[in-house]
Amino acid sequence: MYDDVFIHLKDRSKEDEVADINVNTVNKYFGDVHVIKDISLDIKSQSFTVLVGPSGCGKSTMLRMIAGLEDINSGTISIDGQVVNDLPPKQRNIAMVFQSYALYPHMTVFDNMAFGLKLEKRSKDEINERVNEAARILQIEDYLLRKPKQLSGGQRQRVAIGRAITRKPKVFLFDEPLSNLDAALRVQMRVELAKLHNELDATMIYVTHDQTEAMTLADDIVVLDTGIVSQKGSPLELYDKPNNMFVGGFIGSPKMNFMPSKILSKSADSTEVDIMGMSKISVPKLSASSSEGDAVTLGIRPEHLVVNGDSDGSWESKVFVVEKLGDVTYLYLEKDGEPLVAEAEGHSDIKVGDTVKVGFPAGRCQLFDSSNQAFK
Amino acid sequence: MKKISLSSILSQLLLLFFVIVWLIPTFGLFISSLRDKDLLAISGWWTALTTTEINEIYRMSGMEAQIEEDGYFKIKGTLFEENSGKKIESFGINSKKINEFMIGDIAIFKNESEVILDQDGNYEWRSKSEFQNKKGKRLFTTSLSPPSFTFENYREVLFKEGIGRAFVNTMAVALPSTLIPLIICSFFAYSLTWMKFFGRDTLLAIIIASLVVPLQMSLIPILSIYNDFGALFGVAAKSYPGVWMAHTGFGLASTTFLLRNFLKSLPNEMMEAAKVDGASHYDIFLRIIIPLSIPAFASIFILQFLWCWNDLLVGLVFLDQVPSEIILTAKLKELLGSRGENWEILTTGAFVSMTVPLFIFFALQRYFIRGLVAGSVKG
């Protein structure tokens, strides 16, 4: 019974340590360039939020504004209910991990990790304890006395993360931490970051341009496009119900196929469209703003295209490239403009030049209107 | 296999050429400074390792030294200083025939006194009658002098001619004149690089512009300001603090510029990481910039120090030419006028003034090169 109380208390204290982050109609200009346009975000305590988008979309700027490394032109950012617009980074109780690791080259791993604590004038014992604990979590105990240049890329990134951990901040900010690593290491570190988030229960904000990292790590994904939030939601929400063509195309790999289509007719619960003049399909999605004859775009993911099987709408198409990856085979089908990618089974015997029948179940596709917004 | 291309051969040859052009005079100066002053006056330094034929005039001792022995009045003595190593080949008693006698010959003077000489310079001058000469007769010797090296010149120059004092004075000028701008400029360069403030770029532009202002232009105005200022506080206008300030001012632009170029090459993210870690600008400067800038500091120290060490003009203008203040270059210039014929003093003095630049160059040459390419190559 007492145990329960203690556990409860422990949980409470943990909740106190971590923080909600509120971004309220924030704007940022670099000279005349409006890079962040009226962005508002709520980031829940203890969540893992990934800011994702193509380069130049403002995701790093957003992160740096939360960190306090960039000024905010208008709007407010608050951490744990406190507006931090004018607070320097050190008073925001955050830690940041940079893409280039940004380790101090003249200090040992230990000193790198202890730097923040020394500045806070912590006691020697406390510094030792915290650094050793962080080193244990990140499995870099053997390297504590080395200099950064004696470490590999993955080890350096661990040190950079360790430097963030030791200070026990409320919020962890990651600025493309894995993009300097090679592919294999990136996958490994991704898993470790996910583990770390579970272990630390801290609020984490993670910036990346890699949608795989976003999908695998995030509780919430925020897709940014040229300074505005395109969509925010859980990975599967974004995957299943993209708000617009940008999100549809950005999330998922290989990317969603887009096909020009036309609305043939509308009914109470579905819309009938014509796909490139090759096929007709009735889609259970509606948009108030569309009318018969409008040009729309139909989006369908490669994995939802059915090759030589039963489907709602189907047509025949010629294969001009076959990519065999073992578990799946990607077929590149002829289409005006960009090719259509379809996923077939791993040991498919379809060859280049073959003609295949492709189609898809009506429920799997997305419709986007002329302003690229999705039909609900 | 390393590929040998024409351009690499050419560049190697060019390098060799520069090395020779630089090395030969330096080496010559060094050898000359160690040679005997008499040898130095008659033969070049490249003959230093061979024996040299020298003609000299000596005077034998006078009548006070005579002793009576074996029915002769004799005057014995030696011409050379001890351990001179010189070997007499021939001698004469007449300035017109200085090679008249060989060793072992007996030379007879007009008054029938005779002299014998061995090759080490020991002579025996004898006469049947008592010597009446107050001064001894002259002997003209032709002798071979072996290579001889001596530190005598250095002793002379350092302690008698005042070069030693001038050396200390130059140190007293150059060291603070290097350290003060280095300290000021490291703060300045940091703020120009990593702090945001109004007018930063304008300030930088002014610094770059002032790089091209020749210091000769401002010497006299500054001295006149010093005069007014000195008069105000009753201190001499020409003094060490004055020359320190002058060097500091003249070095400020280039030092700041070089340091800023170096600091600019440090990664921005590292500074931001430190900021997030809770470091103030002062912490960043002290704990990150300074340790990482040691190579840059060293190379800028070298450049500025050598500049101050070799400077003549500023030292002439801002210091009095008195023993307690005169700097090496000014002292050498002074010696060139007053002791222009004493090569041993000039060569030795010049070499003394070179020792510090040479030492610095050899001890710190890797920083030297790094400093010259600072900012152009990412280290």
Side-chain angles (χ1 to χ4, degrees):
Chain A
M1 184 193 146
Y2 283 111
D3 278 354
D4 283 351
V5 173
F6 276 121
I7 287 166
H8 180 70
L9 279 177
K10 232 180 180 175
D11 284 345
R12 283 296 308 160
S13 72
K14 252 180 199 166
E15 256 169 45
D16 289 341
E17 269 176 30
V18 290
D20 283 324
I21 297 170
N22 250 293
V23 176
N24 192 9
T25 57
V26 160
N27 279 286
K28 174 74 185 174
Y29 297 84
F30 284 127
D32 291 337
V33 188
H34 198 174
V35 285
I36 299 285
K37 298 165 188 161
D38 263 340
I39 285 186
S40 295
L41 278 177
D42 278 323
I43 292 165
K44 279 195 289 292
S45 179
Q46 301 191 15
S47 71
F48 198 119
T49 304
V50 175
L51 301 180
V52 69
S55 48
C57 69
K59 56 190 190 299
S60 279
T61 310
M62 192 67 237
L63 192 77
R64 291 164 57 81
M65 288 196 298
I66 295 171
L69 296 170
E70 296 282 356
D71 295 332
I72 301 163
N73 290 117
S74 72
T76 57
I77 291 177
S78 41
I79 297 175
D80 221 6
Q82 187 195 5
V83 175
V84 293
N85 281 21
D86 298 322
L87 290 184
K90 64 173 165 183
Q91 287 170 29
R92 298 188 181 199
N93 214 342
I94 48 145
M96 188 157 169
V97 177
F98 294 85
Q99 179 180 357
S100 66
Y101 322 132
L103 299 176
Y104 314 122
H106 57 296
M107 297 183 193
T108 62
V109 168
F110 184 94
D111 288 335
N112 262 285
M113 285 166 49
F115 186 69
L117 298 174
K118 280 181 186 162
L119 289 174
E120 286 174 14
K121 306 242 182 322
R122 304 270 179 180
S123 74
K124 257 214 169 101
D125 292 340
E126 192 182 357
I127 292 175
N128 272 331
E129 188 194 322
R130 285 213 204 172
V131 171
N132 284 322
E133 196 195 334
R136 187 186 53 74
I137 294 173
L138 294 163
Q139 297 159 14
I140 48 173
E141 288 153 299
D142 296 343
Y143 314 127
L144 282 178
L145 295 178
R146 294 205 197 162
K147 292 268 176 74
K149 67 178 171 205
Q150 296 164 300
L151 301 178
S152 69
Q155 290 164 344
R156 284 182 206 185
Q157 194 54 275
R158 281 164 204 260
V159 176
I161 294 169
R163 189 168 62 180
I165 293 176
T166 49
R167 291 181 46 234
K168 297 191 178 169
K170 288 181 180 171
V171 182
F172 284 91
L173 305 173
F174 295 92
D175 190 1
E176 309 207 20
L178 305 185
S179 47
N180 275 6
L181 303 178
D182 62 56
L185 207 52
R186 211 179 292 177
V187 174
Q188 189 194 337
M189 286 301 291
R190 209 167 69 198
V191 175
E192 295 196 15
L193 276 175
K195 260 166 62 189
L196 196 69
H197 179 236
N198 282 338
E199 229 167 297
L200 295 176
D201 285 329
T203 310
M204 291 186 174
I205 305 178
Y206 187 104
V207 160
T208 181
H209 59 260
D210 180 352
Q211 61 91 27
T212 320
E213 279 173 29
M215 293 295 282
T216 49
L217 287 171
D219 296 328
D220 274 318
I221 297 181
V222 178
V223 183
L224 290 178
D225 180 24
T226 59
I228 54 164
V229 176
S230 228
Q231 191 173 358
K232 179 178 188 269
S234 73
L236 287 181
E237 259 172 62
L238 266 60
Y239 179 82
D240 289 336
K241 292 174 191 141
N243 269 351
N244 49 42
M245 267 176 78
F246 177 78
V247 176
F250 196 83
I251 301 291
S253 170
K255 66 185 285 231
M256 187 183 258
N257 297 303
F258 293 112
M259 293 181 283
S261 312
K262 215 164 101 183
I263 298 179
L264 292 174
S265 64
K266 285 173 75 175
S267 67
D269 54 0
S270 69
T271 309
E272 191 179 29
V273 293
D274 167 89
I275 309 163
M276 295 190 294
M278 295 185 296
S279 181
K280 286 177 197 167
I281 193 163
S282 187
V283 180
K285 290 183 195 296
L286 287 169
S287 165
S289 63
S290 68
S291 54
E292 277 175 32
D294 278 0
V296 292
T297 305
L298 188 142
I300 179 76
R301 296 191 184 279
E303 53 270 39
H304 299 143
L305 276 174
V306 181
V307 179
N308 292 337
D310 287 338
S311 55
D312 293 335
S314 65
W315 67 94
E316 299 212 317
S317 196
K318 220 170 136 187
V319 179
F320 71 96
V321 173
V322 177
E323 283 181 351
K324 293 195 183 223
L325 299 182
D327 55 339
V328 294
T329 301
Y330 290 117
L331 307 174
Y332 288 71
L333 307 175
E334 277 180 352
K335 188 192 122 191
D336 295 337
E338 279 185 52
L340 201 63
V341 184
E343 191 183 304
E345 62 185 68
H347 291 86
S348 168
D349 48 11
I350 298 166
K351 296 185 293 294
V352 174
D354 285 0
T355 303
V356 294
K357 185 175 145 241
V358 285
F360 53 87
R364 286 296 198 177
C365 72
Q366 310 290 336
L367 280 182
F368 302 99
D369 63 20
S370 54
S371 56
N372 297 336
Q373 297 303 308
F375 285 42
K376 295 294 173 195
Chain B
M1 261 303 272
K2 212 178 161 187
K3 222 174 120 190
I4 300 167
S5 67
L6 185 68
S7 69
S8 85
I9 293 175
L10 274 179
S11 63
Q12 294 291 325
L13 284 177
L14 202 65
L15 184 67
L16 187 70
F17 174 75
F18 282 125
V19 167
I20 289 172
V21 163
W22 189 86
L23 216 52
I24 285 184
T26 312
F27 189 67
L29 199 63
F30 178 60
I31 298 293
S32 299
S33 71
L34 287 176
R35 293 184 77 200
D36 186 81
K37 60 183 172 190
D38 301 326
L39 292 177
L40 185 60
I42 57 165
S43 64
W45 60 269
W46 52 92
T47 64
L49 285 178
T50 60
T51 50
T52 315
E53 195 179 81
I54 49 174
N55 297 316
E56 288 165 309
I57 309 167
Y58 290 100
R59 195 176 283 280
M60 291 183 286
S61 305
M63 52 188 268
E64 297 85 24
Q66 64 183 314
I67 50 170
E68 204 175 344
E69 196 180 270
D70 306 333
Y72 283 103
F73 292 95
K74 290 182 181 173
I75 295 174
K76 288 184 187 175
T78 181
L79 301 176
F80 301 150
E81 286 155 26
E82 250 178 272
N83 299 325
S84 72
K86 285 190 263 193
K87 299 285 179 208
I88 295 173
E89 291 216 300
S90 60
F91 67 100
I93 53 175
N94 186 320
S95 61
K96 283 176 188 139
K97 292 186 211 160
I98 59 170
N99 294 325
E100 194 178 358
F101 305 100
M102 303 304 285
I103 293 298
D105 292 350
I106 297 170
I108 300 166
F109 292 98
K110 276 183 200 151
N111 62 3
E112 295 192 346
S113 66
E114 48 197 42
V115 64
I116 52 173
L117 191 62
D118 71 5
Q119 60 177 4
D120 293 327
N122 300 315
Y123 61 86
E124 187 180 312
W125 186 20
R126 62 192 180 199
S127 170
K128 296 261 193 227
S129 54
E130 199 177 340
F131 286 103
Q132 301 296 329
N133 313 50
K134 284 208 172 106
K135 288 200 291 182
K137 295 269 186 194
R138 287 184 301 172
L139 284 182
F140 301 87
T141 63
T142 300
S143 54
L144 284 178
S145 174
S148 79
F149 296 101
T150 169
F151 286 106
E152 185 54 39
N153 299 336
Y154 282 93
R155 203 169 303 137
E156 165 99 11
V157 152
L158 287 177
F159 303 112
K160 290 189 194 146
E161 294 294 339
I163 291 276
R165 181 64 218 242
F167 188 93
V168 174
N169 293 345
T170 311
M171 270 293 178
V173 170
L175 269 182
S177 300
T178 309
L179 292 176
I180 295 170
L182 205 57
I183 292 167
I184 296 176
C185 291
S186 57
F187 284 99
F188 192 20
Y190 175 83
S191 63
L192 276 181
T193 322
W194 297 114
M195 286 167 85
K196 287 178 192 154
F197 54 88
F198 177 76
R200 186 175 78 164
D201 294 341
T202 319
L203 211 54
L204 186 65
I206 291 172
I207 286 167
I208 292 171
S210 66
L211 277 175
V212 297
V213 176
L215 74 91
Q216 288 87 339
M217 210 176 80
S218 43
L219 279 178
I220 303 308
I222 289 176
L223 185 63
S224 111
I225 292 171
Y226 277 9
N227 278 328
D228 297 345
F229 228 73
L232 207 65
F233 294 103
V235 277
K238 293 181 167 192
S239 63
Y240 281 113
V243 79
W244 295 340
M245 282 203 290
H247 273 307
T248 301
F250 293 131
L252 217 54
S254 59
T255 308
T256 308
F257 184 66
L258 284 174
L259 260 180
R260 181 191 165 272
N261 280 357
F262 174 80
L263 294 187
K264 195 92 189 154
S265 71
L266 295 175
N268 187 25
E269 286 196 339
M270 195 170 65
M271 311 301 156
E272 292 184 335
K275 258 184 231 169
V276 173
D277 267 348
S280 62
H281 278 300
Y282 190 68
D283 290 325
I284 295 177
F285 181 76
L286 224 58
R287 290 167 184 249
I288 294 175
I289 298 289
I290 299 262
L292 287 178
S293 305
I294 295 297
F297 284 153
S299 56
I300 291 164
F301 176 90
I302 293 168
L303 289 178
Q304 172 76 4
F305 184 84
L306 290 187
W307 161 256
C308 295
W309 185 268
N310 291 327
D311 162 77
L312 170 66
L313 192 55
V314 177
L316 271 183
V317 173
F318 292 104
L319 284 177
D320 278 324
Q321 308 307 304
V322 293
S324 66
E325 285 186 7
I326 194 163
I327 56 169
L328 254 181
T329 43
K331 185 74 194 174
L332 283 178
K333 190 205 80 151
E334 191 186 283
L335 285 179
L336 206 60
S338 62
R339 305 291 299 269
E341 276 158 29
N342 293 67
W343 284 27
E344 78 280 4
I345 289 174
L346 295 180
T347 54
T348 311
F351 201 79
V352 167
S353 78
M354 275 174 67
T355 49
V356 169
L358 280 179
F359 170 77
I360 286 183
F361 181 78
F362 284 116
L364 302 171
Q365 59 169 321
R366 68 197 176 104
Y367 295 119
F368 193 77
I369 292 161
R370 238 186 268 176
L372 292 179
V373 298
S376 59
V377 184
K378 275 206 168 181

